[in-house]
Amino acid sequence: MMKYDMLTILGPTATGKTQLAARMAHRLNGEVLSADSRQIYRGMDLGTGKDLADYVVEGSRVPCHLVDIANAGEQYNVFEFQRQFILAYEDILSRGKFPVFCGGSGLYLEAVLKGYRLTQVPSDKSRRAELSQFSLEELTEILKGYKSVHNTSDTETKNRAIRAIEIEEYLRSNPDLNFEFPSLNSLIVGVQFDRDTRRERITARLKQRLKEGMIEEVRGLLDGGLNPDDLTYYGLEYKYVTLFLIGELSREEMFERLNIAIHQFAKRQMTWFRKMEKEGFVIHWLDGFMPMEEKVAFIDRLLF
RNA sequence: GGUGCCAUAGCUCAGUUGGUAGAGCAACGGACUGAAAAUCCGUGUGUCCCUAGUUCGAUUCUUGGUGGCACCA
């Protein structure tokens, strides 16, 4: 009998997580829930490594949730992700299927696995009008009075700062509204390669995706009316290819800097996973070089 | 072949009027609860090309090599 409600497969980029997740879902009569903060966007495929072929196992297609659920350029966030996760999760259970959660976005993985308490916070027009009288510096001070501001993403623009303050004030005046996110008893498996291999794989995959039309994909998004700043904000592929397309980087600089940025990203992902382990999550790591059948057997032994 | 310039961190280079050296990038470690592929913090990892001198002391000055670049043949 199964000891867990869910199987989670995580790991840094370019480790073959998705194929393994699809394989396990196929085996367990399950469906995949993606934990990827960029694959949620439609039309962002090559640059996010969204490969639909990964979901085809032995000729049948494993259903996949939380991919292609927002338009490129739209705003998305952890709260929204958590909300949509639970809907998809319950839908999967109601159909008697087994959920396999798979991805590399640490914050999104943790929001689900740890059950972050996040509340729907409505916008408050009159409060926003009041706050908009303040300068960005003053807003930053107000926000600091509510919480420790650990990075600048909340205080880069007045709109962001006002929203952050709005959330803090709402939570303070409505302390009972925090809803309990169900605690999930998930088996967590991590896939990783040694550092040198990880880097080689990232570089090889980047070259491959450039050949497959990644630049054209980004050009298409720009032609479709997306603002270069919005695309740049998505980071990595979308950032550096956009900078190349608007003439700020040569093709060679784009490749080199993007390659480095992806290596650095993979490192940050590993830092996040180590933090999760320090907090008490048990991640059963397996070597990416292990043949698929052995990976499956490894997970089977843990599941049953 | 001759002349000149250069050789310092993984890379590009600075510097030491002679007291064993530091920037950028890379690399490494960390943080993270409403944009997270974002954002932010920390760390110098070194036969200062080799050799022989001068000197209390040489990465620095001198000799001779080696390698690279430029110009002249």
Side-chain angles (χ1 to χ4, degrees):
Chain A
M1 198 50 223
M2 180 81 73
K3 294 186 275 188
Y4 299 94
D5 315 322
M6 182 167 84
L7 166 65
T8 297
I9 296 179
L10 54 75
T13 188
T15 46
K17 296 182 291 292
T18 308
Q19 280 188 33
L20 178 58
R23 184 62 175 260
M24 289 310 300
H26 180 74
R27 184 178 183 76
L28 299 165
N29 185 30
E31 299 186 2
V32 174
L33 293 130
S34 164
D36 188 306
S37 70
R38 293 297 182 263
Q39 291 191 10
I40 60 170
Y41 296 108
R42 295 183 200 97
M44 290 170 54
D45 303 334
L46 282 164
T48 62
K50 195 192 292 171
D51 189 349
L52 298 179
D54 284 346
Y55 292 99
V56 177
V57 181
E58 290 171 6
S60 68
R61 188 176 168 72
V62 175
C64 170
H65 304 260
L66 306 177
V67 167
D68 288 342
I69 53 174
N71 290 319
E74 269 176 21
Q75 181 174 314
Y76 200 78
N77 59 53
V78 208
F79 169 73
E80 199 56 32
F81 178 78
Q82 200 193 43
R83 195 181 66 77
Q84 289 191 256
F85 172 89
I86 200 67
L87 292 174
Y89 178 81
E90 283 168 356
D91 171 53
I92 290 170
L93 290 190
S94 74
R95 286 181 286 104
K97 303 282 185 167
F98 185 76
V100 178
F101 189 35
C102 170
S105 296
L107 181 70
Y108 286 12
L109 286 160
E110 205 176 282
V112 166
L113 294 173
K114 204 168 165 181
Y116 284 178
R117 295 172 64 132
L118 301 168
T119 306
Q120 178 113 44
V121 177
S123 64
D124 176 342
K125 277 197 171 151
S126 65
R127 182 60 178 147
R128 283 190 179 190
E130 280 171 35
L131 289 169
S132 66
Q133 307 292 318
F134 294 104
S135 69
L136 181 57
E137 290 67 34
E138 289 165 331
L139 291 170
T140 302
E141 285 311 306
I142 294 170
L143 185 60
K144 279 182 181 167
Y146 291 138
K147 67 169 192 176
S148 65
V149 179
H150 59 269
N151 68 43
T152 61
S153 66
D154 278 339
T155 54
E156 275 173 353
T157 65
K158 281 181 69 171
N159 283 345
R160 290 269 309 152
I162 289 171
R163 177 59 178 162
I165 291 167
E166 190 171 66
I167 289 166
E168 291 305 314
E169 292 182 344
Y170 185 82
L171 294 180
R172 267 148 214 275
S173 55
N174 299 279
D176 301 330
L177 271 181
N178 284 336
F179 79 103
E180 285 294 337
F181 190 83
S183 70
L184 300 171
N185 179 27
S186 180
L187 172 68
I188 306 175
V189 171
V191 187
Q192 71 170 326
F193 288 91
D194 64 273
R195 192 150 57 208
D196 289 344
T197 303
R198 190 175 84 206
R199 297 166 62 88
E200 283 166 18
R201 286 175 62 93
I202 286 171
T203 302
R205 191 181 63 161
L206 175 56
K207 286 180 183 168
Q208 178 66 26
R209 290 191 291 173
L210 283 167
K211 264 188 224 160
E212 289 170 352
M214 196 163 85
I215 292 174
E216 291 66 29
E217 175 177 296
V218 177
R219 184 181 286 127
L221 291 167
L222 287 169
D223 290 347
L226 274 189
N227 191 314
D229 287 343
D230 292 339
L231 274 181
T232 297
Y233 199 82
Y234 287 137
L236 302 186
E237 285 82 358
Y238 296 94
K239 174 180 177 181
Y240 290 96
V241 173
T242 296
L243 291 176
F244 162 62
L245 289 172
I246 63 176
E248 289 190 16
L249 292 177
S250 69
R251 161 115 191 183
E252 192 175 283
E253 285 169 333
M254 177 272 285
F255 175 79
E256 281 175 13
R257 292 177 54 179
L258 172 54
N259 192 223
I260 288 166
I262 302 171
H263 292 336
Q264 292 172 332
F265 168 56
K267 180 172 172 293
R268 262 179 278 131
Q269 288 180 298
M270 287 306 298
T271 300
W272 188 288
F273 300 140
R274 276 182 226 122
K275 183 199 70 165
M276 286 176 67
E277 290 183 299
K278 280 183 223 157
E279 286 173 347
F281 287 103
V282 177
I283 301 175
H284 300 273
W285 290 103
L286 53 80
D287 186 340
F289 279 120
M290 207 184 264
M292 182 61 86
E293 290 314 315
E294 282 181 38
K295 287 175 181 161
V296 170
F298 174 93
I299 297 173
D300 271 354
R301 280 196 299 276
L302 294 166
L303 276 176
F304 297 102

